[in-house]
Amino acid sequence: MAEERSLTGGDLAKLARELETDPIFRQRFDADPVAAAEAAGMHELALGLEREMRELVALAERIAYDDVYRAELDTDPTAVLVAAG
């Protein structure tokens, strides 16, 4: 299994350039960001996007189903999110 790494500023800059300059890529990205990045040869970016999206969905599910966690977020959202990583 490949080592997972965070998206870098360079990854995000490359993504921003593609989104700004390539309307077809932008349209594909809007429909499926991971598939669009993979098809454009940005394999590491696709992996990073997929991981980030999984983490975001997991966070949304936790907020939706965990009353205690949601209350903690209401009290001090920054501290709770920093603690969660």
Side-chain angles (χ1 to χ4, degrees):
M1 178 179 213
E3 180 181 327
E4 290 187 356
R5 67 172 181 83
S6 296
L7 294 175
T8 66
D11 293 331
L12 299 177
K14 182 175 183 178
L15 176 60
R17 279 192 306 276
E18 288 297 316
L19 290 169
E20 290 171 4
T21 61
D22 186 341
I24 294 171
F25 175 78
R26 185 173 47 251
Q27 184 177 23
R28 290 179 180 157
F29 188 86
D30 287 346
D32 185 340
V34 174
E38 187 69 36
M42 295 184 267
H43 307 292
E44 290 294 320
L45 179 65
L47 290 172
L49 287 169
E50 185 173 35
R51 184 185 62 260
E52 297 284 341
M53 290 170 59
R54 274 193 321 265
E55 291 173 2
L56 185 57
V57 168
L59 176 61
E61 288 174 342
R62 184 169 182 192
I63 292 168
Y65 298 112
D66 186 335
D67 294 336
V68 173
Y69 190 70
R70 198 168 41 251
E72 291 171 353
L73 280 170
D74 283 340
T75 302
D76 191 351
T78 302
V80 173
L81 293 175
V82 167

PDB file of all heavy atoms in Angstrom, residues 11-51:
ATOM      1  N   ASP A  11       0.369  20.781  -5.199  1.00  0.00           N
ATOM      2  CA  ASP A  11      -0.770  20.029  -5.735  1.00  0.00           C
ATOM      3  C   ASP A  11      -1.950  20.959  -5.982  1.00  0.00           C
ATOM      4  O   ASP A  11      -2.586  20.922  -7.031  1.00  0.00           O
ATOM      5  CB  ASP A  11      -1.233  18.956  -4.742  1.00  0.00           C
ATOM      6  CG  ASP A  11      -0.227  17.834  -4.532  1.00  0.00           C
ATOM      7  OD1 ASP A  11       0.549  17.535  -5.451  1.00  0.00           O
ATOM      8  OD2 ASP A  11      -0.234  17.265  -3.425  1.00  0.00           O
ATOM      9  N   LEU A  12      -2.218  21.786  -4.980  1.00  0.00           N
ATOM     10  CA  LEU A  12      -3.366  22.685  -5.088  1.00  0.00           C
ATOM     11  C   LEU A  12      -3.150  23.763  -6.141  1.00  0.00           C
ATOM     12  O   LEU A  12      -4.090  24.150  -6.839  1.00  0.00           O
ATOM     13  CB  LEU A  12      -3.675  23.296  -3.727  1.00  0.00           C
ATOM     14  CG  LEU A  12      -4.049  22.260  -2.647  1.00  0.00           C
ATOM     15  CD1 LEU A  12      -4.267  22.957  -1.311  1.00  0.00           C
ATOM     16  CD2 LEU A  12      -5.259  21.454  -3.050  1.00  0.00           C
ATOM     17  N   ALA A  13      -1.913  24.227  -6.301  1.00  0.00           N
ATOM     18  CA  ALA A  13      -1.609  25.224  -7.337  1.00  0.00           C
ATOM     19  C   ALA A  13      -1.810  24.627  -8.726  1.00  0.00           C
ATOM     20  O   ALA A  13      -2.380  25.271  -9.615  1.00  0.00           O
ATOM     21  CB  ALA A  13      -0.186  25.742  -7.171  1.00  0.00           C
ATOM     22  N   LYS A  14      -1.341  23.377  -8.900  1.00  0.00           N
ATOM     23  CA  LYS A  14      -1.523  22.703 -10.194  1.00  0.00           C
ATOM     24  C   LYS A  14      -3.009  22.512 -10.483  1.00  0.00           C
ATOM     25  O   LYS A  14      -3.468  22.752 -11.607  1.00  0.00           O
ATOM     26  CB  LYS A  14      -0.803  21.363 -10.192  1.00  0.00           C
ATOM     27  CG  LYS A  14      -0.903  20.628 -11.495  1.00  0.00           C
ATOM     28  CD  LYS A  14      -0.078  19.354 -11.490  1.00  0.00           C
ATOM     29  CE  LYS A  14      -0.159  18.679 -12.850  1.00  0.00           C
ATOM     30  NZ  LYS A  14       0.659  17.469 -12.920  1.00  0.00           N
ATOM     31  N   LEU A  15      -3.754  22.104  -9.476  1.00  0.00           N
ATOM     32  CA  LEU A  15      -5.191  21.925  -9.637  1.00  0.00           C
ATOM     33  C   LEU A  15      -5.862  23.249 -10.002  1.00  0.00           C
ATOM     34  O   LEU A  15      -6.671  23.312 -10.929  1.00  0.00           O
ATOM     35  CB  LEU A  15      -5.798  21.357  -8.358  1.00  0.00           C
ATOM     36  CG  LEU A  15      -7.312  21.206  -8.332  1.00  0.00           C
ATOM     37  CD1 LEU A  15      -7.785  20.283  -9.445  1.00  0.00           C
ATOM     38  CD2 LEU A  15      -7.765  20.688  -6.972  1.00  0.00           C
ATOM     39  N   ALA A  16      -5.493  24.318  -9.314  1.00  0.00           N
ATOM     40  CA  ALA A  16      -6.072  25.638  -9.594  1.00  0.00           C
ATOM     41  C   ALA A  16      -5.780  26.070 -11.031  1.00  0.00           C
ATOM     42  O   ALA A  16      -6.674  26.589 -11.712  1.00  0.00           O
ATOM     43  CB  ALA A  16      -5.537  26.667  -8.605  1.00  0.00           C
ATOM     44  N   ARG A  17      -4.539  25.847 -11.481  1.00  0.00           N
ATOM     45  CA  ARG A  17      -4.189  26.207 -12.872  1.00  0.00           C
ATOM     46  C   ARG A  17      -5.048  25.453 -13.868  1.00  0.00           C
ATOM     47  O   ARG A  17      -5.553  26.029 -14.834  1.00  0.00           O
ATOM     48  CB  ARG A  17      -2.709  25.921 -13.147  1.00  0.00           C
ATOM     49  CG  ARG A  17      -1.758  26.975 -12.657  1.00  0.00           C
ATOM     50  CD  ARG A  17      -0.350  26.788 -13.202  1.00  0.00           C
ATOM     51  NE  ARG A  17       0.209  25.461 -12.946  1.00  0.00           N
ATOM     52  CZ  ARG A  17       0.815  25.092 -11.817  1.00  0.00           C
ATOM     53  NH1 ARG A  17       0.942  25.958 -10.826  1.00  0.00           N
ATOM     54  NH2 ARG A  17       1.291  23.881 -11.676  1.00  0.00           N
ATOM     55  N   GLU A  18      -5.193  24.152 -13.636  1.00  0.00           N
ATOM     56  CA  GLU A  18      -6.004  23.347 -14.556  1.00  0.00           C
ATOM     57  C   GLU A  18      -7.460  23.807 -14.562  1.00  0.00           C
ATOM     58  O   GLU A  18      -8.077  23.894 -15.616  1.00  0.00           O
ATOM     59  CB  GLU A  18      -5.923  21.862 -14.185  1.00  0.00           C
ATOM     60  CG  GLU A  18      -4.597  21.221 -14.494  1.00  0.00           C
ATOM     61  CD  GLU A  18      -4.272  21.216 -15.977  1.00  0.00           C
ATOM     62  OE1 GLU A  18      -5.155  20.908 -16.811  1.00  0.00           O
ATOM     63  OE2 GLU A  18      -3.109  21.527 -16.305  1.00  0.00           O
ATOM     64  N   LEU A  19      -7.979  24.090 -13.388  1.00  0.00           N
ATOM     65  CA  LEU A  19      -9.370  24.537 -13.302  1.00  0.00           C
ATOM     66  C   LEU A  19      -9.574  25.882 -13.985  1.00  0.00           C
ATOM     67  O   LEU A  19     -10.628  26.128 -14.585  1.00  0.00           O
ATOM     68  CB  LEU A  19      -9.814  24.616 -11.834  1.00  0.00           C
ATOM     69  CG  LEU A  19      -9.975  23.273 -11.127  1.00  0.00           C
ATOM     70  CD1 LEU A  19     -10.136  23.479  -9.629  1.00  0.00           C
ATOM     71  CD2 LEU A  19     -11.143  22.480 -11.699  1.00  0.00           C
ATOM     72  N   GLU A  20      -8.578  26.751 -13.899  1.00  0.00           N
ATOM     73  CA  GLU A  20      -8.681  28.078 -14.503  1.00  0.00           C
ATOM     74  C   GLU A  20      -8.484  28.063 -16.018  1.00  0.00           C
ATOM     75  O   GLU A  20      -9.066  28.881 -16.724  1.00  0.00           O
ATOM     76  CB  GLU A  20      -7.652  29.014 -13.875  1.00  0.00           C
ATOM     77  CG  GLU A  20      -7.951  29.371 -12.443  1.00  0.00           C
ATOM     78  CD  GLU A  20      -6.813  30.125 -11.769  1.00  0.00           C
ATOM     79  OE1 GLU A  20      -5.804  30.441 -12.430  1.00  0.00           O
ATOM     80  OE2 GLU A  20      -6.939  30.396 -10.560  1.00  0.00           O
ATOM     81  N   THR A  21      -7.654  27.153 -16.512  1.00  0.00           N
ATOM     82  CA  THR A  21      -7.265  27.211 -17.921  1.00  0.00           C
ATOM     83  C   THR A  21      -7.921  26.168 -18.818  1.00  0.00           C
ATOM     84  O   THR A  21      -7.870  26.302 -20.038  1.00  0.00           O
ATOM     85  CB  THR A  21      -5.740  27.059 -18.070  1.00  0.00           C
ATOM     86  OG1 THR A  21      -5.334  25.787 -17.557  1.00  0.00           O
ATOM     87  CG2 THR A  21      -5.004  28.178 -17.337  1.00  0.00           C
ATOM     88  N   ASP A  22      -8.518  25.144 -18.236  1.00  0.00           N
ATOM     89  CA  ASP A  22      -9.061  24.052 -19.041  1.00  0.00           C
ATOM     90  C   ASP A  22     -10.540  23.837 -18.709  1.00  0.00           C
ATOM     91  O   ASP A  22     -10.883  23.162 -17.743  1.00  0.00           O
ATOM     92  CB  ASP A  22      -8.258  22.775 -18.772  1.00  0.00           C
ATOM     93  CG  ASP A  22      -8.652  21.615 -19.670  1.00  0.00           C
ATOM     94  OD1 ASP A  22      -9.757  21.643 -20.246  1.00  0.00           O
ATOM     95  OD2 ASP A  22      -7.847  20.664 -19.778  1.00  0.00           O
ATOM     96  N   PRO A  23     -11.422  24.403 -19.543  1.00  0.00           N
ATOM     97  CA  PRO A  23     -12.853  24.300 -19.241  1.00  0.00           C
ATOM     98  C   PRO A  23     -13.372  22.859 -19.266  1.00  0.00           C
ATOM     99  O   PRO A  23     -14.292  22.522 -18.514  1.00  0.00           O
ATOM    100  CB  PRO A  23     -13.526  25.151 -20.315  1.00  0.00           C
ATOM    101  CG  PRO A  23     -12.500  25.385 -21.361  1.00  0.00           C
ATOM    102  CD  PRO A  23     -11.162  25.196 -20.738  1.00  0.00           C
ATOM    103  N   ILE A  24     -12.788  22.002 -20.083  1.00  0.00           N
ATOM    104  CA  ILE A  24     -13.231  20.604 -20.116  1.00  0.00           C
ATOM    105  C   ILE A  24     -12.835  19.905 -18.817  1.00  0.00           C
ATOM    106  O   ILE A  24     -13.631  19.176 -18.222  1.00  0.00           O
ATOM    107  CB  ILE A  24     -12.663  19.876 -21.351  1.00  0.00           C
ATOM    108  CG1 ILE A  24     -13.277  20.480 -22.608  1.00  0.00           C
ATOM    109  CG2 ILE A  24     -12.937  18.374 -21.281  1.00  0.00           C
ATOM    110  CD1 ILE A  24     -12.654  20.011 -23.901  1.00  0.00           C
ATOM    111  N   PHE A  25     -11.597  20.148 -18.360  1.00  0.00           N
ATOM    112  CA  PHE A  25     -11.171  19.583 -17.080  1.00  0.00           C
ATOM    113  C   PHE A  25     -12.071  20.088 -15.962  1.00  0.00           C
ATOM    114  O   PHE A  25     -12.496  19.311 -15.102  1.00  0.00           O
ATOM    115  CB  PHE A  25      -9.707  19.925 -16.785  1.00  0.00           C
ATOM    116  CG  PHE A  25      -9.256  19.458 -15.429  1.00  0.00           C
ATOM    117  CD1 PHE A  25      -8.945  18.128 -15.216  1.00  0.00           C
ATOM    118  CD2 PHE A  25      -9.174  20.330 -14.365  1.00  0.00           C
ATOM    119  CE1 PHE A  25      -8.550  17.678 -13.960  1.00  0.00           C
ATOM    120  CE2 PHE A  25      -8.776  19.901 -13.104  1.00  0.00           C
ATOM    121  CZ  PHE A  25      -8.465  18.565 -12.906  1.00  0.00           C
ATOM    122  N   ARG A  26     -12.385  21.370 -15.973  1.00  0.00           N
ATOM    123  CA  ARG A  26     -13.243  21.958 -14.935  1.00  0.00           C
ATOM    124  C   ARG A  26     -14.612  21.273 -14.921  1.00  0.00           C
ATOM    125  O   ARG A  26     -15.143  20.929 -13.860  1.00  0.00           O
ATOM    126  CB  ARG A  26     -13.381  23.460 -15.133  1.00  0.00           C
ATOM    127  CG  ARG A  26     -14.160  24.159 -14.034  1.00  0.00           C
ATOM    128  CD  ARG A  26     -14.154  25.673 -14.154  1.00  0.00           C
ATOM    129  NE  ARG A  26     -14.444  26.169 -15.482  1.00  0.00           N
ATOM    130  CZ  ARG A  26     -13.554  26.749 -16.304  1.00  0.00           C
ATOM    131  NH1 ARG A  26     -12.303  26.921 -15.933  1.00  0.00           N
ATOM    132  NH2 ARG A  26     -13.911  27.171 -17.496  1.00  0.00           N
ATOM    133  N   GLN A  27     -15.177  21.041 -16.086  1.00  0.00           N
ATOM    134  CA  GLN A  27     -16.478  20.378 -16.186  1.00  0.00           C
ATOM    135  C   GLN A  27     -16.387  18.949 -15.645  1.00  0.00           C
ATOM    136  O   GLN A  27     -17.246  18.504 -14.873  1.00  0.00           O
ATOM    137  CB  GLN A  27     -16.951  20.373 -17.634  1.00  0.00           C
ATOM    138  CG  GLN A  27     -18.332  19.803 -17.835  1.00  0.00           C
ATOM    139  CD  GLN A  27     -18.768  19.888 -19.285  1.00  0.00           C
ATOM    140  OE1 GLN A  27     -17.947  19.966 -20.203  1.00  0.00           O
ATOM    141  NE2 GLN A  27     -20.063  19.848 -19.505  1.00  0.00           N
ATOM    142  N   ARG A  28     -15.339  18.240 -16.021  1.00  0.00           N
ATOM    143  CA  ARG A  28     -15.149  16.870 -15.522  1.00  0.00           C
ATOM    144  C   ARG A  28     -14.904  16.870 -14.011  1.00  0.00           C
ATOM    145  O   ARG A  28     -15.393  16.002 -13.302  1.00  0.00           O
ATOM    146  CB  ARG A  28     -13.979  16.202 -16.243  1.00  0.00           C
ATOM    147  CG  ARG A  28     -14.282  15.892 -17.682  1.00  0.00           C
ATOM    148  CD  ARG A  28     -13.112  15.268 -18.369  1.00  0.00           C
ATOM    149  NE  ARG A  28     -13.446  14.971 -19.756  1.00  0.00           N
ATOM    150  CZ  ARG A  28     -12.564  14.832 -20.717  1.00  0.00           C
ATOM    151  NH1 ARG A  28     -11.259  14.942 -20.459  1.00  0.00           N
ATOM    152  NH2 ARG A  28     -12.947  14.566 -21.940  1.00  0.00           N
ATOM    153  N   PHE A  29     -14.138  17.845 -13.531  1.00  0.00           N
ATOM    154  CA  PHE A  29     -13.841  17.944 -12.107  1.00  0.00           C
ATOM    155  C   PHE A  29     -15.114  18.206 -11.316  1.00  0.00           C
ATOM    156  O   PHE A  29     -15.314  17.638 -10.241  1.00  0.00           O
ATOM    157  CB  PHE A  29     -12.819  19.059 -11.863  1.00  0.00           C
ATOM    158  CG  PHE A  29     -12.316  19.122 -10.455  1.00  0.00           C
ATOM    159  CD1 PHE A  29     -11.251  18.336 -10.052  1.00  0.00           C
ATOM    160  CD2 PHE A  29     -12.907  19.971  -9.534  1.00  0.00           C
ATOM    161  CE1 PHE A  29     -10.778  18.388  -8.747  1.00  0.00           C
ATOM    162  CE2 PHE A  29     -12.441  20.035  -8.229  1.00  0.00           C
ATOM    163  CZ  PHE A  29     -11.385  19.239  -7.834  1.00  0.00           C
ATOM    164  N   ASP A  30     -15.984  19.053 -11.839  1.00  0.00           N
ATOM    165  CA  ASP A  30     -17.257  19.337 -11.165  1.00  0.00           C
ATOM    166  C   ASP A  30     -18.099  18.066 -11.040  1.00  0.00           C
ATOM    167  O   ASP A  30     -18.792  17.879 -10.041  1.00  0.00           O
ATOM    168  CB  ASP A  30     -18.048  20.409 -11.907  1.00  0.00           C
ATOM    169  CG  ASP A  30     -17.469  21.800 -11.740  1.00  0.00           C
ATOM    170  OD1 ASP A  30     -16.616  22.000 -10.851  1.00  0.00           O
ATOM    171  OD2 ASP A  30     -17.858  22.697 -12.527  1.00  0.00           O
ATOM    172  N   ALA A  31     -18.037  17.193 -12.042  1.00  0.00           N
ATOM    173  CA  ALA A  31     -18.823  15.959 -12.021  1.00  0.00           C
ATOM    174  C   ALA A  31     -18.190  14.890 -11.136  1.00  0.00           C
ATOM    175  O   ALA A  31     -18.887  14.196 -10.396  1.00  0.00           O
ATOM    176  CB  ALA A  31     -18.984  15.429 -13.442  1.00  0.00           C
ATOM    177  N   ASP A  32     -16.844  14.755 -11.206  1.00  0.00           N
ATOM    178  CA  ASP A  32     -16.141  13.717 -10.430  1.00  0.00           C
ATOM    179  C   ASP A  32     -14.680  14.134 -10.279  1.00  0.00           C
ATOM    180  O   ASP A  32     -13.860  13.858 -11.157  1.00  0.00           O
ATOM    181  CB  ASP A  32     -16.249  12.369 -11.130  1.00  0.00           C
ATOM    182  CG  ASP A  32     -15.659  11.231 -10.320  1.00  0.00           C
ATOM    183  OD1 ASP A  32     -14.843  11.473  -9.402  1.00  0.00           O
ATOM    184  OD2 ASP A  32     -16.012  10.072 -10.609  1.00  0.00           O
ATOM    185  N   PRO A  33     -14.359  14.808  -9.175  1.00  0.00           N
ATOM    186  CA  PRO A  33     -12.999  15.338  -9.004  1.00  0.00           C
ATOM    187  C   PRO A  33     -11.907  14.280  -9.069  1.00  0.00           C
ATOM    188  O   PRO A  33     -10.868  14.498  -9.679  1.00  0.00           O
ATOM    189  CB  PRO A  33     -13.029  15.991  -7.616  1.00  0.00           C
ATOM    190  CG  PRO A  33     -14.444  16.133  -7.257  1.00  0.00           C
ATOM    191  CD  PRO A  33     -15.220  15.140  -8.051  1.00  0.00           C
ATOM    192  N   VAL A  34     -12.132  13.135  -8.469  1.00  0.00           N
ATOM    193  CA  VAL A  34     -11.108  12.092  -8.435  1.00  0.00           C
ATOM    194  C   VAL A  34     -10.864  11.538  -9.834  1.00  0.00           C
ATOM    195  O   VAL A  34      -9.712  11.429 -10.281  1.00  0.00           O
ATOM    196  CB  VAL A  34     -11.493  10.967  -7.446  1.00  0.00           C
ATOM    197  CG1 VAL A  34     -10.503   9.816  -7.512  1.00  0.00           C
ATOM    198  CG2 VAL A  34     -11.597  11.524  -6.032  1.00  0.00           C
ATOM    199  N   ALA A  35     -11.920  11.212 -10.552  1.00  0.00           N
ATOM    200  CA  ALA A  35     -11.787  10.674 -11.902  1.00  0.00           C
ATOM    201  C   ALA A  35     -11.145  11.696 -12.842  1.00  0.00           C
ATOM    202  O   ALA A  35     -10.327  11.335 -13.689  1.00  0.00           O
ATOM    203  CB  ALA A  35     -13.145  10.229 -12.443  1.00  0.00           C
ATOM    204  N   ALA A  36     -11.504  12.957 -12.699  1.00  0.00           N
ATOM    205  CA  ALA A  36     -10.935  14.004 -13.552  1.00  0.00           C
ATOM    206  C   ALA A  36      -9.434  14.129 -13.323  1.00  0.00           C
ATOM    207  O   ALA A  36      -8.654  14.217 -14.279  1.00  0.00           O
ATOM    208  CB  ALA A  36     -11.623  15.338 -13.303  1.00  0.00           C
ATOM    209  N   ALA A  37      -9.021  14.136 -12.060  1.00  0.00           N
ATOM    210  CA  ALA A  37      -7.591  14.238 -11.757  1.00  0.00           C
ATOM    211  C   ALA A  37      -6.844  13.014 -12.264  1.00  0.00           C
ATOM    212  O   ALA A  37      -5.760  13.127 -12.840  1.00  0.00           O
ATOM    213  CB  ALA A  37      -7.380  14.420 -10.262  1.00  0.00           C
ATOM    214  N   GLU A  38      -7.417  11.846 -12.083  1.00  0.00           N
ATOM    215  CA  GLU A  38      -6.782  10.604 -12.550  1.00  0.00           C
ATOM    216  C   GLU A  38      -6.638  10.626 -14.077  1.00  0.00           C
ATOM    217  O   GLU A  38      -5.566  10.319 -14.615  1.00  0.00           O
ATOM    218  CB  GLU A  38      -7.613   9.405 -12.093  1.00  0.00           C
ATOM    219  CG  GLU A  38      -6.982   8.075 -12.377  1.00  0.00           C
ATOM    220  CD  GLU A  38      -5.743   7.785 -11.554  1.00  0.00           C
ATOM    221  OE1 GLU A  38      -5.682   8.172 -10.374  1.00  0.00           O
ATOM    222  OE2 GLU A  38      -4.817   7.160 -12.107  1.00  0.00           O
ATOM    223  N   ALA A  39      -7.701  11.012 -14.772  1.00  0.00           N
ATOM    224  CA  ALA A  39      -7.675  11.045 -16.242  1.00  0.00           C
ATOM    225  C   ALA A  39      -6.666  12.065 -16.765  1.00  0.00           C
ATOM    226  O   ALA A  39      -6.112  11.885 -17.847  1.00  0.00           O
ATOM    227  CB  ALA A  39      -9.071  11.356 -16.790  1.00  0.00           C
ATOM    228  N   ALA A  40      -6.407  13.117 -15.991  1.00  0.00           N
ATOM    229  CA  ALA A  40      -5.453  14.155 -16.393  1.00  0.00           C
ATOM    230  C   ALA A  40      -4.014  13.782 -16.026  1.00  0.00           C
ATOM    231  O   ALA A  40      -3.106  14.582 -16.211  1.00  0.00           O
ATOM    232  CB  ALA A  40      -5.830  15.481 -15.758  1.00  0.00           C
ATOM    233  N   GLY A  41      -3.831  12.578 -15.497  1.00  0.00           N
ATOM    234  CA  GLY A  41      -2.489  12.136 -15.152  1.00  0.00           C
ATOM    235  C   GLY A  41      -1.992  12.638 -13.806  1.00  0.00           C
ATOM    236  O   GLY A  41      -0.808  12.512 -13.495  1.00  0.00           O
ATOM    237  N   MET A  42      -2.867  13.182 -13.004  1.00  0.00           N
ATOM    238  CA  MET A  42      -2.497  13.691 -11.684  1.00  0.00           C
ATOM    239  C   MET A  42      -2.839  12.623 -10.642  1.00  0.00           C
ATOM    240  O   MET A  42      -3.740  12.785  -9.815  1.00  0.00           O
ATOM    241  CB  MET A  42      -3.236  15.005 -11.411  1.00  0.00           C
ATOM    242  CG  MET A  42      -2.838  16.130 -12.340  1.00  0.00           C
ATOM    243  SD  MET A  42      -3.635  17.696 -11.917  1.00  0.00           S
ATOM    244  CE  MET A  42      -5.074  17.609 -12.983  1.00  0.00           C
ATOM    245  N   HIS A  43      -2.106  11.520 -10.685  1.00  0.00           N
ATOM    246  CA  HIS A  43      -2.430  10.355  -9.867  1.00  0.00           C
ATOM    247  C   HIS A  43      -2.324  10.640  -8.370  1.00  0.00           C
ATOM    248  O   HIS A  43      -3.209  10.249  -7.601  1.00  0.00           O
ATOM    249  CB  HIS A  43      -1.538   9.179 -10.264  1.00  0.00           C
ATOM    250  CG  HIS A  43      -1.586   8.896 -11.731  1.00  0.00           C
ATOM    251  ND1 HIS A  43      -2.718   8.408 -12.356  1.00  0.00           N
ATOM    252  CD2 HIS A  43      -0.670   9.068 -12.703  1.00  0.00           C
ATOM    253  CE1 HIS A  43      -2.490   8.285 -13.649  1.00  0.00           C
ATOM    254  NE2 HIS A  43      -1.253   8.677 -13.893  1.00  0.00           N
ATOM    255  N   GLU A  44      -1.248  11.300  -7.947  1.00  0.00           N
ATOM    256  CA  GLU A  44      -1.095  11.621  -6.519  1.00  0.00           C
ATOM    257  C   GLU A  44      -2.204  12.559  -6.052  1.00  0.00           C
ATOM    258  O   GLU A  44      -2.738  12.399  -4.955  1.00  0.00           O
ATOM    259  CB  GLU A  44       0.274  12.248  -6.239  1.00  0.00           C
ATOM    260  CG  GLU A  44       1.429  11.277  -6.381  1.00  0.00           C
ATOM    261  CD  GLU A  44       1.389  10.173  -5.338  1.00  0.00           C
ATOM    262  OE1 GLU A  44       1.049  10.464  -4.163  1.00  0.00           O
ATOM    263  OE2 GLU A  44       1.685   9.023  -5.693  1.00  0.00           O
ATOM    264  N   LEU A  45      -2.538  13.514  -6.881  1.00  0.00           N
ATOM    265  CA  LEU A  45      -3.616  14.448  -6.546  1.00  0.00           C
ATOM    266  C   LEU A  45      -4.941  13.701  -6.440  1.00  0.00           C
ATOM    267  O   LEU A  45      -5.720  13.934  -5.514  1.00  0.00           O
ATOM    268  CB  LEU A  45      -3.712  15.559  -7.584  1.00  0.00           C
ATOM    269  CG  LEU A  45      -4.809  16.582  -7.353  1.00  0.00           C
ATOM    270  CD1 LEU A  45      -4.559  17.375  -6.076  1.00  0.00           C
ATOM    271  CD2 LEU A  45      -4.932  17.513  -8.532  1.00  0.00           C
ATOM    272  N   ALA A  46      -5.194  12.775  -7.361  1.00  0.00           N
ATOM    273  CA  ALA A  46      -6.431  11.991  -7.313  1.00  0.00           C
ATOM    274  C   ALA A  46      -6.516  11.201  -6.013  1.00  0.00           C
ATOM    275  O   ALA A  46      -7.572  11.171  -5.364  1.00  0.00           O
ATOM    276  CB  ALA A  46      -6.515  11.057  -8.520  1.00  0.00           C
ATOM    277  N   LEU A  47      -5.416  10.575  -5.625  1.00  0.00           N
ATOM    278  CA  LEU A  47      -5.397   9.830  -4.365  1.00  0.00           C
ATOM    279  C   LEU A  47      -5.652  10.747  -3.179  1.00  0.00           C
ATOM    280  O   LEU A  47      -6.401  10.406  -2.269  1.00  0.00           O
ATOM    281  CB  LEU A  47      -4.058   9.114  -4.186  1.00  0.00           C
ATOM    282  CG  LEU A  47      -3.784   7.940  -5.118  1.00  0.00           C
ATOM    283  CD1 LEU A  47      -2.342   7.466  -4.956  1.00  0.00           C
ATOM    284  CD2 LEU A  47      -4.763   6.812  -4.872  1.00  0.00           C
ATOM    285  N   GLY A  48      -5.010  11.913  -3.195  1.00  0.00           N
ATOM    286  CA  GLY A  48      -5.201  12.875  -2.116  1.00  0.00           C
ATOM    287  C   GLY A  48      -6.626  13.380  -2.045  1.00  0.00           C
ATOM    288  O   GLY A  48      -7.207  13.494  -0.961  1.00  0.00           O
ATOM    289  N   LEU A  49      -7.214  13.675  -3.195  1.00  0.00           N
ATOM    290  CA  LEU A  49      -8.604  14.137  -3.228  1.00  0.00           C
ATOM    291  C   LEU A  49      -9.547  13.058  -2.706  1.00  0.00           C
ATOM    292  O   LEU A  49     -10.464  13.352  -1.926  1.00  0.00           O
ATOM    293  CB  LEU A  49      -9.008  14.529  -4.649  1.00  0.00           C
ATOM    294  CG  LEU A  49      -8.421  15.821  -5.190  1.00  0.00           C
ATOM    295  CD1 LEU A  49      -8.701  15.940  -6.681  1.00  0.00           C
ATOM    296  CD2 LEU A  49      -8.967  17.017  -4.441  1.00  0.00           C
ATOM    297  N   GLU A  50      -9.302  11.831  -3.106  1.00  0.00           N
ATOM    298  CA  GLU A  50     -10.152  10.732  -2.651  1.00  0.00           C
ATOM    299  C   GLU A  50     -10.080  10.582  -1.128  1.00  0.00           C
ATOM    300  O   GLU A  50     -11.093  10.448  -0.453  1.00  0.00           O
ATOM    301  CB  GLU A  50      -9.736   9.437  -3.333  1.00  0.00           C
ATOM    302  CG  GLU A  50     -10.639   8.268  -3.018  1.00  0.00           C
ATOM    303  CD  GLU A  50     -10.292   7.050  -3.836  1.00  0.00           C
ATOM    304  OE1 GLU A  50      -9.106   6.812  -4.124  1.00  0.00           O
ATOM    305  OE2 GLU A  50     -11.238   6.321  -4.166  1.00  0.00           O
ATOM    306  N   ARG A  51      -8.868  10.660  -0.600  1.00  0.00           N
ATOM    307  CA  ARG A  51      -8.688  10.550   0.854  1.00  0.00           C
ATOM    308  C   ARG A  51      -9.366  11.722   1.571  1.00  0.00           C
ATOM    309  O   ARG A  51     -10.081  11.529   2.549  1.00  0.00           O
ATOM    310  CB  ARG A  51      -7.203  10.496   1.204  1.00  0.00           C
ATOM    311  CG  ARG A  51      -6.932  10.296   2.694  1.00  0.00           C
ATOM    312  CD  ARG A  51      -5.463  10.356   3.043  1.00  0.00           C
ATOM    313  NE  ARG A  51      -4.884  11.651   2.732  1.00  0.00           N
ATOM    314  CZ  ARG A  51      -4.155  11.953   1.659  1.00  0.00           C
ATOM    315  NH1 ARG A  51      -3.873  11.029   0.766  1.00  0.00           N
ATOM    316  NH2 ARG A  51      -3.688  13.160   1.460  1.00  0.00           N
TER     317      ARG A  51
END
